[in-house]
Structures are given as C-alpha cells and as structure tokens.
Amino acid sequence: MLTAGFISLGCAKNLVDTEIMLGILADNNIHITDNPQDAELLIINTCGFIDSAKEESISTIMQMAEYKQNGKCRGVIVAGCLGQRYQQELLDELPEISAIVGTGAWHRIMEAVTAVLANERVLLIGETDTLYDETMRRITTTPAYSAYVKIAEGCSNCCSYCVIPLVRGKFRSRPVESIVNEVKKLTERGVKEINLIAQDTTSYGRDRYGKPQLMNLLSELVKIEGVFWIRLLYCYPKYFNEELIELIANEPKICNYIDLPLQHADDEILSGMNRQDTRSDIENLLKRIRTVIPGVTIRTSFIVGFPGETDKHFESLKNFMLEQKFERVGVFTYSQEEDTPAGIMENQVPDSVKEERFHELMSLQCRVSEELNHDMEGKMLTVLIEGHNQDQPSVAFGRSYREAPDVDGCIYVENAIGLLPGELVQAEVVQGFTYDLVAEKK
C-alpha cells in the first residue's frame, strides 16, 4: 500500500479541501501517515494569501523536499492557493516540486499521484469553478465533535487588497440540500458543533438563487437532530440583515457568536479598500446586533498600513475599537500583493509604521479583552470539553459559544476529573484573564 503524508496550511476553508483530498486518496487505497519520514509522497496544501503565508508555504515545501534525500519520499505535490497563483513560476524555480494541483483541480489529486509515480512532472490547474458535495468521502481532521462545513467557494467582492478572486474564482454557493445532507452525515458520526464557512457567508445563495439564502439554510440546519451549536464564520456586513439577527437571537442552536471582518473604520480607507460599508453603516449594524442578541460575542479583523493610511486614519480606527469594545479582534499588517488594485496604489506605508500600528492595536485589544473577561466572572457557561491538562488531571480545557475553534482563547474547567472530550458541561466563570477564562464545573 502506498503511503502519503499531508500538510494543510492556511485557513479552515483550505482545510476542508484537504479533507476532501484525503478522502480521495483513501478511496484509492493510499495510507496516510503523520510521519513524513515514512511517506512515499508528501502533499502540501498551501496558502498564498499574504506574504507571511507565502513564506510559510515555501518554507514547508523546502522542508518536505528534504525527505526526497533523507526519507522514502518519491515526490512532493503542491496543492492549493500558492500553486494556483504561482503555478509556472514554482515549477520553474523549485525543481524539488514534483506536481502542482491548483484550487480548481483538487478532484484531480490522483492524476498528480499517478504522474509522480511514473516520474512525470505535471501542472494541474483547471477552472476555478469546482465545488465539493456531500457524496464525496471526506476525512475530517478536526476533533470528532466539531467540523467545518464550506457552504460556498470563491468571492466576488473584489476588495482592492485581496487575491482570493484570482485564486479561488467568483463566489459560488452549494445547494441547500447538499449542505443539509452533509451536516446530517456529520451529526450521525457524533459531530455536535458545525462551523459554517465561506469567503463571504452572508452572501450565501445570491449566485444560485438570486438572493441571499443564509436564513433559509439555517432554518433547515437547526431541524437536524444531534446539532448542538451552529457557528457562523466570515460574515460580511452587507447582507447581515434584521431577519438574520432575529434568527440568531431566537434559535438556541445558532451560537450568539458573530465573526464580522470589518478591516477598517475610516470611510476614506474603507473606500480605498473597495469595501461596501461606511463607518455609519457598521456602527448601526453593531448596535442592532448587540441590542437584539443578549450576550453576543463579536469577532472582527482589521488591517493596518493600507496605502494612504495616515495617523488621522489610524486614530479613527483606534477610537472605533475603544468605542465598540469587541470581544475578539485579529489585527493584520497590510501585505502589498501583485495583481491587486491596492498593490499599485501610491503612498504605500513603510513596514516600520505598519508594525508600530499593529502592536499598538494589539495592546489596546489586550486591555479591552481583559476587561471584558473580568466582567464574565460569576456567569454560567456551557463548555464543550476538548481535553485535560497533562500536569493537572482535574483541570480540563474547552470552549463555550464565545470561542471559535483555533482562533480564540479557551476555558480552563476545574473539578473536571472524568470528563471526556466532546462532553458538554455547565461551569461558572471564577476568573477572567486577557484571552482565557477559568471556570468551575457545577
């Protein structure tokens, strides 16, 4: 039996592609190992979104290529965004790469495997219009109680700094029935937490049905037995309407957790980014969300150092963060990407200024987060147990509705001897820190 190793980089959307490719490999009797030393093939599903992601992808490719000299590896296959974006350049400049499989060709992974075993070097790109469905075997790599479900692929928003439309194609939604059937299959396997993902979740259905259909999709998903949490990630503000807010507030299975990437809060910068909302639009939306959904946790992300961002623009963003006091914030320095409108804009901000602004915002958010977590003391939460502290078996760690997997902090639960991963328990928060909470099982 052929043995392959698989490394998945980048976002959760990329991870779903990895899991589908793992299913294809398994259907073809290929054994997967987590030890690259034992792999006859090494496959890296890469990210190419910003400079740091590209550097990580290249570094991982080169590290894995060493096993062609020092292990059993017969070939290195590069899949995903980096391969899609820099296809021929990678083949020309990195002879260590045996094959490239683009974002629109993941379903052709076995073609790449066959070619590599025949000592052929191939480039498989294809059209960026493919979608997976519930009939395809998928080997989930997340814990047994939690899974990501990609409801759409690509993006049509065309933010001026972003390469996603170039590497993932236009926005295209999966049918409601396909998603519902996939979630049913996952819950039958014991999955309790469904994390819905897309590049723009709130636009779901516009391309396929002529208008946004996230409400309709959610209304079907909450009927499925076995689902405990449905979490919405990557929700753009534009189609986050009153009906959706009311549904989240009134449906217990939908987490009171909203991931709302805003990117900035100054109208001039938002316009330069080709974002579709103004600061006033965003403020009104946030007010409605917080008024209607009690205890809501809002996660957002901001970019500092976008071309033309002055001290005044940055102060506007800082003031906005102080006013809104978001529970979760991710801050990124602007990455100047070729083939994007922002990449050729004048007034590029020096890297030193970007870094300074990054650290200033992160420091500000640390203070806000610590304050909000202190306010959680004394409150009861349902905690999904994920594991135990090795040094203190009586302490477990997990997440509540307020923490998304992989990106947020965790809750340490005391008096937790005997609790198993995937169990749901009631716990009272006894101490709040900058990112994490300590709670006591009740």
Side-chain angles (χ1 to χ4, degrees), residues 144-296:
Y145 46 80
S146 180
Y148 294 103
V149 174
K150 184 155 52 170
I151 64 175
E153 181 59 276
C155 189
S156 298
N157 289 322
C158 298
C159 298
S160 65
Y161 52 82
C162 185
V163 299
I164 293 298
L166 297 175
V167 298
R168 290 279 178 179
K170 66 182 184 299
F171 189 83
R172 51 205 187 278
S173 305
R174 294 173 58 196
V176 168
E177 298 78 14
S178 175
I179 299 166
V180 169
N181 288 334
E182 181 182 12
V183 172
K184 286 180 178 177
K185 285 185 175 183
L186 290 168
T187 56
E188 287 168 2
R189 286 164 35 192
V191 173
K192 298 175 181 177
E193 177 186 43
I194 300 294
N195 301 288
L196 299 183
I197 57 174
Q199 199 61 38
D200 176 1
T201 309
T202 36
S203 284
Y204 170 75
R206 285 184 64 227
D207 57 311
R208 181 175 289 272
Y209 302 107
K211 61 181 180 179
Q213 288 292 313
L214 185 58
M215 283 278 297
N216 180 37
L217 174 63
L218 290 170
S219 297
E220 293 299 318
L221 293 180
V222 297
K223 298 175 185 176
I224 298 173
E225 291 186 16
V227 173
F228 186 79
W229 281 337
I230 298 172
R231 191 183 301 278
L232 296 174
L233 302 175
Y234 308 102
C235 300
Y236 275 54
K238 186 175 182 181
Y239 295 105
F240 213 108
N241 56 32
E242 199 68 39
E243 292 76 17
L244 181 56
I245 295 172
E246 292 284 350
L247 180 64
I248 295 170
N250 295 316
E251 177 46 63
K253 288 186 178 181
I254 303 175
C255 293
N256 289 354
Y257 178 104
I258 296 169
D259 176 27
L260 198 72
L262 299 175
Q263 311 308 7
H264 215 280
D266 184 275
D267 284 347
E268 287 185 20
I269 299 299
L270 288 169
S271 176
M273 289 177 165
N274 197 33
R275 301 288 291 183
Q276 304 302 307
D277 305 279
T278 64
R279 178 167 178 154
S280 177
D281 294 333
I282 294 167
E283 288 173 335
N284 289 334
L285 173 60
L286 292 170
K287 183 177 180 180
R288 294 204 311 275
I289 289 173
R290 289 195 167 115
T291 299
V292 177
I293 308 175
V296 67

Side-chain angles (χ1 to χ4, degrees), residues 1-3 29-31 40:
M1 180 181 287
L2 187 70
T3 300
N29 297 314
I30 294 177
H31 174 70
E40 296 165 84

Side-chain angles (χ1 to χ4, degrees), residues 382-440:
T382 300
V383 180
L384 176 66
I385 300 299
E386 298 198 286
H388 280 266
N389 187 317
Q390 289 186 344
D391 297 327
Q392 295 178 282
S394 64
V395 177
F397 59 88
R399 296 180 289 108
S400 71
Y401 78 90
R402 301 177 70 250
E403 294 87 22
D406 301 322
V407 293
D408 295 328
C410 70
I411 301 174
Y412 292 95
V413 181
E414 299 175 336
N415 301 329
I417 289 177
L419 293 180
L420 299 174
E423 281 193 65
L424 292 152
V425 300
Q426 294 297 306
E428 181 182 354
V429 178
V430 294
Q431 203 166 4
F433 296 96
T434 303
Y435 296 114
D436 302 322
L437 300 174
V438 175
E440 194 171 86

Side-chain angles (χ1 to χ4, degrees), residues 372-383:
L372 294 176
N373 280 345
H374 279 317
D375 291 343
M376 289 297 297
E377 292 173 4
K379 292 186 167 65
M380 294 293 296
L381 292 171
T382 300
V383 180

